[in-house]
């Protein structure tokens, strides 16, 4: 054995347990990381499989807990290929000195554009009008909509997604207010930094861009909706658990919410809805002032690749 081979550092190895865009493999190779791709691995087998690996890349297959990591004797990082890390126990990683890597930057443009699309579709009755015309119903006056220009838009949560939405709105001649209770220092032009109470007083449109953490569970509840002075248009492209859907439905029925667009739901496994959840879902599904989409705000062909670029760059910096 030569002296050089004795000093050579072993190549870092990463286990990938979810389907991921194939662009990740040459990217990882370019920074000297070996990928072991097992997208069909059963969640129960991930624990033992992690032994010896330097990193783990996961999407939504499973929740990563302390128990998942018990055999991860060499793990340096867990990387979430997507926005949000609510399926990863951050405290468990911190206790083990394992870094947590997210890729929110990878799909922020997708979310900003999609949220704008939802807003325009909602305020201009595009989905409803399309369905009516397909059924040979031609109603112009009944589908008269509203313009974004001149409105006050309240963005709650001003991280990557909230900032992206503000950016795409900036050319519409609207006033943008932003509230972020964790990082108010992030709020800069084109948004104005306001309190939640100020936002509730002024907003015509409200869009949620907050993460799902314990403190945000049911954030948009009855008290939240009652706090608005005006009738509002409501958007949620963040996480379903941050909205109390029963409170949302109550306010839709009462007319204090003009319409809602939801890309996320409290329970997205629609074949497992409880009786109460089913009643709420049925109302939302039948309401002509509600738009429902299947958690696709950040899901584009471009973002699928951008997420890999963000993750690999962060892994490179870490290693």
């Amino acid at each position: 054995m030569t002296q050089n081979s004795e000093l050579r550092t072993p190549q870092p190895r990463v286990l990938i347990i979810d389907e991921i865009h194939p662009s990740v493999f040459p990217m990882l190779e370019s920074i000297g990381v070996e990928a072991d791709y097992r997208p069909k691995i059963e969640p129960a087998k991930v624990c033992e499989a992690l032994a010896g690996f330097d990193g783990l890349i996961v999407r939504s297959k499973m929740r990563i807990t302390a128990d998942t990591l018990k055999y991860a004797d060499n793990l340096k990082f867990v990387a979430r290929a997507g926005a949000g890390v609510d399926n990863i126990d951050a405290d468990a990683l911190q206790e083990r000195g394992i870094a947590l890597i997210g890729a929110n930057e990878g799909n922020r443009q997708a979310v900003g554009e999609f949220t704008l699309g939802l807003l325009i579709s909602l305020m201009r009755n595009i989905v409803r009008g399309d369905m009516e015309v397909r059924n040979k119903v031609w109603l112009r006056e009944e589908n008269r909509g509203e313009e974004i220009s001149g409105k006050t838009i309240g963005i709650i949560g001003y991280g990557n997604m909230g900032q992206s939405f503000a950016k795409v709105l900036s050319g519409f001649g609207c006033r943008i207010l932003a509230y972020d209770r964790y990082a108010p220092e992030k709020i800069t032009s084109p948004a104005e930094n306001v309190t939640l109470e100020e936002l509730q007083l002024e907003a015509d449109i409200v869009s949620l861009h907050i993460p799902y953490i314990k403190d945000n569970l049911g954030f948009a509840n009855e008290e939240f909706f009652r706090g608005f002075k005006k009738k509002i248009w409501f958007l949620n492209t963040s996480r379903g658990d941050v909205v109390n859907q029963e409170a949302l439905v109550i306010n839709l029925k009462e007319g204090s919410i003009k319409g809602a667009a939801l890309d996320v739901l409290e329970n997205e496994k629609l074949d497992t809805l409880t009786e109460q959840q089913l009643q709420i879902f049925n109302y939302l599904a039948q309401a002509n002032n509600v738009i429902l989409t299947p958690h696709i705000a950040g899901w584009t062909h471009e973002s699928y690749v951008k997420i890999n670029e963000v993750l690999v760059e962060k892994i490179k910096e870490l290693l």
Side-chain angles (χ1 to χ4, degrees), residues 158-180:
Y158 208 70
N160 284 291
M161 311 309 168
Q163 291 172 37
S164 178
F165 185 42
K167 182 179 178 181
V168 299
L169 283 170
S170 60
F172 278 81
C174 56
R175 183 185 179 201
I176 304 172
L177 308 180
Y179 166 71
D180 192 311

mmCIF file of all heavy atoms in Angstrom, residues 158-180:
data_model
loop_
_atom_site.group_PDB
_atom_site.id
_atom_site.type_symbol
_atom_site.label_atom_id
_atom_site.label_comp_id
_atom_site.label_asym_id
_atom_site.label_seq_id
_atom_site.Cartn_x
_atom_site.Cartn_y
_atom_site.Cartn_z
ATOM 1 N N TYR A 158 -42.810 35.131 6.049
ATOM 2 C CA TYR A 158 -42.061 35.819 4.985
ATOM 3 C C TYR A 158 -40.692 35.185 4.773
ATOM 4 O O TYR A 158 -39.678 35.861 4.654
ATOM 5 C CB TYR A 158 -41.936 37.314 5.320
ATOM 6 C CG TYR A 158 -41.810 38.190 4.090
ATOM 7 C CD1 TYR A 158 -42.889 38.363 3.231
ATOM 8 C CD2 TYR A 158 -40.626 38.845 3.802
ATOM 9 C CE1 TYR A 158 -42.794 39.173 2.106
ATOM 10 C CE2 TYR A 158 -40.508 39.661 2.681
ATOM 11 C CZ TYR A 158 -41.593 39.819 1.832
ATOM 12 O OH TYR A 158 -41.494 40.620 0.730
ATOM 13 N N GLY A 159 -40.692 33.858 4.711
ATOM 14 C CA GLY A 159 -39.488 33.139 4.336
ATOM 15 C C GLY A 159 -39.392 33.071 2.823
ATOM 16 O O GLY A 159 -39.864 33.951 2.100
ATOM 17 N N ASN A 160 -38.807 31.995 2.329
ATOM 18 C CA ASN A 160 -38.613 31.856 0.882
ATOM 19 C C ASN A 160 -39.919 31.970 0.104
ATOM 20 O O ASN A 160 -39.982 32.636 -0.937
ATOM 21 C CB ASN A 160 -37.956 30.507 0.586
ATOM 22 C CG ASN A 160 -36.477 30.499 0.910
ATOM 23 O OD1 ASN A 160 -35.689 31.150 0.234
ATOM 24 N ND2 ASN A 160 -36.101 29.779 1.943
ATOM 25 N N MET A 161 -40.975 31.309 0.606
ATOM 26 C CA MET A 161 -42.235 31.265 -0.140
ATOM 27 C C MET A 161 -42.981 32.591 -0.080
ATOM 28 O O MET A 161 -43.501 33.080 -1.091
ATOM 29 C CB MET A 161 -43.119 30.125 0.379
ATOM 30 C CG MET A 161 -42.415 28.796 0.500
ATOM 31 S SD MET A 161 -41.520 28.303 -0.993
ATOM 32 C CE MET A 161 -40.557 26.937 -0.350
ATOM 33 N N GLY A 162 -43.055 33.179 1.103
ATOM 34 C CA GLY A 162 -43.732 34.460 1.237
ATOM 35 C C GLY A 162 -43.047 35.537 0.417
ATOM 36 O O GLY A 162 -43.695 36.359 -0.241
ATOM 37 N N GLN A 163 -41.705 35.544 0.433
ATOM 38 C CA GLN A 163 -40.950 36.519 -0.354
ATOM 39 C C GLN A 163 -41.182 36.321 -1.848
ATOM 40 O O GLN A 163 -41.300 37.295 -2.609
ATOM 41 C CB GLN A 163 -39.461 36.396 -0.032
ATOM 42 C CG GLN A 163 -39.091 36.839 1.372
ATOM 43 C CD GLN A 163 -37.651 36.523 1.714
ATOM 44 O OE1 GLN A 163 -36.769 36.624 0.878
ATOM 45 N NE2 GLN A 163 -37.408 36.124 2.954
ATOM 46 N N SER A 164 -41.244 35.065 -2.280
ATOM 47 C CA SER A 164 -41.471 34.784 -3.693
ATOM 48 C C SER A 164 -42.844 35.281 -4.137
ATOM 49 O O SER A 164 -42.992 35.867 -5.217
ATOM 50 C CB SER A 164 -41.339 33.281 -3.955
ATOM 51 O OG SER A 164 -41.612 32.983 -5.309
ATOM 52 N N PHE A 165 -43.858 35.060 -3.304
ATOM 53 C CA PHE A 165 -45.203 35.526 -3.639
ATOM 54 C C PHE A 165 -45.229 37.044 -3.731
ATOM 55 O O PHE A 165 -45.819 37.623 -4.658
ATOM 56 C CB PHE A 165 -46.205 35.018 -2.612
ATOM 57 C CG PHE A 165 -47.646 35.337 -2.936
ATOM 58 C CD1 PHE A 165 -48.135 35.216 -4.226
ATOM 59 C CD2 PHE A 165 -48.514 35.750 -1.933
ATOM 60 C CE1 PHE A 165 -49.470 35.503 -4.530
ATOM 61 C CE2 PHE A 165 -49.848 36.028 -2.218
ATOM 62 C CZ PHE A 165 -50.312 35.917 -3.517
ATOM 63 N N ALA A 166 -44.567 37.715 -2.788
ATOM 64 C CA ALA A 166 -44.517 39.178 -2.816
ATOM 65 C C ALA A 166 -43.846 39.665 -4.099
ATOM 66 O O ALA A 166 -44.275 40.651 -4.719
ATOM 67 C CB ALA A 166 -43.770 39.698 -1.593
ATOM 68 N N LYS A 167 -42.804 38.973 -4.516
ATOM 69 C CA LYS A 167 -42.072 39.373 -5.717
ATOM 70 C C LYS A 167 -42.952 39.299 -6.957
ATOM 71 O O LYS A 167 -42.965 40.231 -7.779
ATOM 72 C CB LYS A 167 -40.836 38.487 -5.884
ATOM 73 C CG LYS A 167 -39.969 38.852 -7.075
ATOM 74 C CD LYS A 167 -38.757 37.935 -7.166
ATOM 75 C CE LYS A 167 -37.914 38.253 -8.388
ATOM 76 N NZ LYS A 167 -36.733 37.340 -8.488
ATOM 77 N N VAL A 168 -43.698 38.200 -7.110
ATOM 78 C CA VAL A 168 -44.535 38.079 -8.309
ATOM 79 C C VAL A 168 -45.734 39.026 -8.261
ATOM 80 O O VAL A 168 -46.304 39.368 -9.300
ATOM 81 C CB VAL A 168 -45.007 36.619 -8.541
ATOM 82 C CG1 VAL A 168 -43.829 35.697 -8.731
ATOM 83 C CG2 VAL A 168 -45.892 36.114 -7.410
ATOM 84 N N LEU A 169 -46.102 39.465 -7.060
ATOM 85 C CA LEU A 169 -47.216 40.415 -6.929
ATOM 86 C C LEU A 169 -46.797 41.852 -7.196
ATOM 87 O O LEU A 169 -47.646 42.712 -7.429
ATOM 88 C CB LEU A 169 -47.778 40.359 -5.498
ATOM 89 C CG LEU A 169 -48.678 39.189 -5.116
ATOM 90 C CD1 LEU A 169 -48.914 39.207 -3.613
ATOM 91 C CD2 LEU A 169 -49.997 39.257 -5.859
ATOM 92 N N SER A 170 -45.495 42.115 -7.154
ATOM 93 C CA SER A 170 -45.005 43.498 -7.117
ATOM 94 C C SER A 170 -45.384 44.319 -8.345
ATOM 95 O O SER A 170 -45.375 45.552 -8.282
ATOM 96 C CB SER A 170 -43.486 43.512 -6.926
ATOM 97 O OG SER A 170 -42.830 42.838 -7.984
ATOM 98 N N GLY A 171 -45.727 43.672 -9.442
ATOM 99 C CA GLY A 171 -46.105 44.426 -10.635
ATOM 100 C C GLY A 171 -47.598 44.637 -10.798
ATOM 101 O O GLY A 171 -48.036 45.145 -11.842
ATOM 102 N N PHE A 172 -48.378 44.282 -9.791
ATOM 103 C CA PHE A 172 -49.837 44.323 -9.936
ATOM 104 C C PHE A 172 -50.491 45.578 -9.353
ATOM 105 O O PHE A 172 -51.709 45.683 -9.341
ATOM 106 C CB PHE A 172 -50.471 43.093 -9.287
ATOM 107 C CG PHE A 172 -50.450 41.870 -10.160
ATOM 108 C CD1 PHE A 172 -49.311 41.091 -10.258
ATOM 109 C CD2 PHE A 172 -51.553 41.521 -10.908
ATOM 110 C CE1 PHE A 172 -49.274 39.971 -11.078
ATOM 111 C CE2 PHE A 172 -51.536 40.404 -11.728
ATOM 112 C CZ PHE A 172 -50.388 39.634 -11.823
ATOM 113 N N GLY A 173 -49.697 46.505 -8.844
ATOM 114 C CA GLY A 173 -50.288 47.728 -8.321
ATOM 115 C C GLY A 173 -51.082 47.509 -7.060
ATOM 116 O O GLY A 173 -52.108 48.168 -6.833
ATOM 117 N N CYS A 174 -50.620 46.585 -6.233
ATOM 118 C CA CYS A 174 -51.308 46.312 -4.975
ATOM 119 C C CYS A 174 -50.392 46.664 -3.799
ATOM 120 O O CYS A 174 -49.176 46.782 -3.953
ATOM 121 C CB CYS A 174 -51.714 44.841 -4.889
ATOM 122 S SG CYS A 174 -50.338 43.682 -5.092
ATOM 123 N N ARG A 175 -50.987 46.825 -2.636
ATOM 124 C CA ARG A 175 -50.219 47.059 -1.414
ATOM 125 C C ARG A 175 -49.954 45.711 -0.763
ATOM 126 O O ARG A 175 -50.870 44.884 -0.649
ATOM 127 C CB ARG A 175 -51.005 47.966 -0.475
ATOM 128 C CG ARG A 175 -50.267 48.337 0.807
ATOM 129 C CD ARG A 175 -51.157 49.135 1.739
ATOM 130 N NE ARG A 175 -50.470 49.477 2.971
ATOM 131 C CZ ARG A 175 -51.085 49.805 4.105
ATOM 132 N NH1 ARG A 175 -52.415 49.837 4.155
ATOM 133 N NH2 ARG A 175 -50.385 50.100 5.188
ATOM 134 N N ILE A 176 -48.721 45.476 -0.343
ATOM 135 C CA ILE A 176 -48.354 44.188 0.243
ATOM 136 C C ILE A 176 -47.938 44.385 1.691
ATOM 137 O O ILE A 176 -46.996 45.134 1.988
ATOM 138 C CB ILE A 176 -47.202 43.516 -0.543
ATOM 139 C CG1 ILE A 176 -47.574 43.369 -2.017
ATOM 140 C CG2 ILE A 176 -46.866 42.162 0.064
ATOM 141 C CD1 ILE A 176 -46.426 42.903 -2.902
ATOM 142 N N LEU A 177 -48.649 43.719 2.595
ATOM 143 C CA LEU A 177 -48.309 43.725 4.015
ATOM 144 C C LEU A 177 -47.776 42.343 4.382
ATOM 145 O O LEU A 177 -48.240 41.333 3.858
ATOM 146 C CB LEU A 177 -49.543 44.022 4.880
ATOM 147 C CG LEU A 177 -50.355 45.275 4.529
ATOM 148 C CD1 LEU A 177 -51.541 45.401 5.484
ATOM 149 C CD2 LEU A 177 -49.487 46.516 4.584
ATOM 150 N N ALA A 178 -46.810 42.293 5.288
ATOM 151 C CA ALA A 178 -46.259 41.001 5.691
ATOM 152 C C ALA A 178 -46.108 40.940 7.203
ATOM 153 O O ALA A 178 -45.706 41.923 7.843
ATOM 154 C CB ALA A 178 -44.923 40.747 5.016
ATOM 155 N N TYR A 179 -46.426 39.760 7.728
ATOM 156 C CA TYR A 179 -46.254 39.497 9.167
ATOM 157 C C TYR A 179 -45.488 38.197 9.321
ATOM 158 O O TYR A 179 -45.834 37.179 8.714
ATOM 159 C CB TYR A 179 -47.618 39.383 9.857
ATOM 160 C CG TYR A 179 -47.537 38.785 11.248
ATOM 161 C CD1 TYR A 179 -46.984 39.508 12.306
ATOM 162 C CD2 TYR A 179 -48.008 37.491 11.503
ATOM 163 C CE1 TYR A 179 -46.899 38.955 13.577
ATOM 164 C CE2 TYR A 179 -47.931 36.939 12.765
ATOM 165 C CZ TYR A 179 -47.376 37.669 13.803
ATOM 166 O OH TYR A 179 -47.286 37.118 15.058
ATOM 167 N N ASP A 180 -44.420 38.237 10.116
ATOM 168 C CA ASP A 180 -43.635 37.041 10.404
ATOM 169 C C ASP A 180 -43.204 37.116 11.865
ATOM 170 O O ASP A 180 -42.358 37.945 12.225
ATOM 171 C CB ASP A 180 -42.416 36.946 9.481
ATOM 172 C CG ASP A 180 -41.743 35.581 9.541
ATOM 173 O OD1 ASP A 180 -41.491 35.097 10.663
ATOM 174 O OD2 ASP A 180 -41.482 34.995 8.476
#
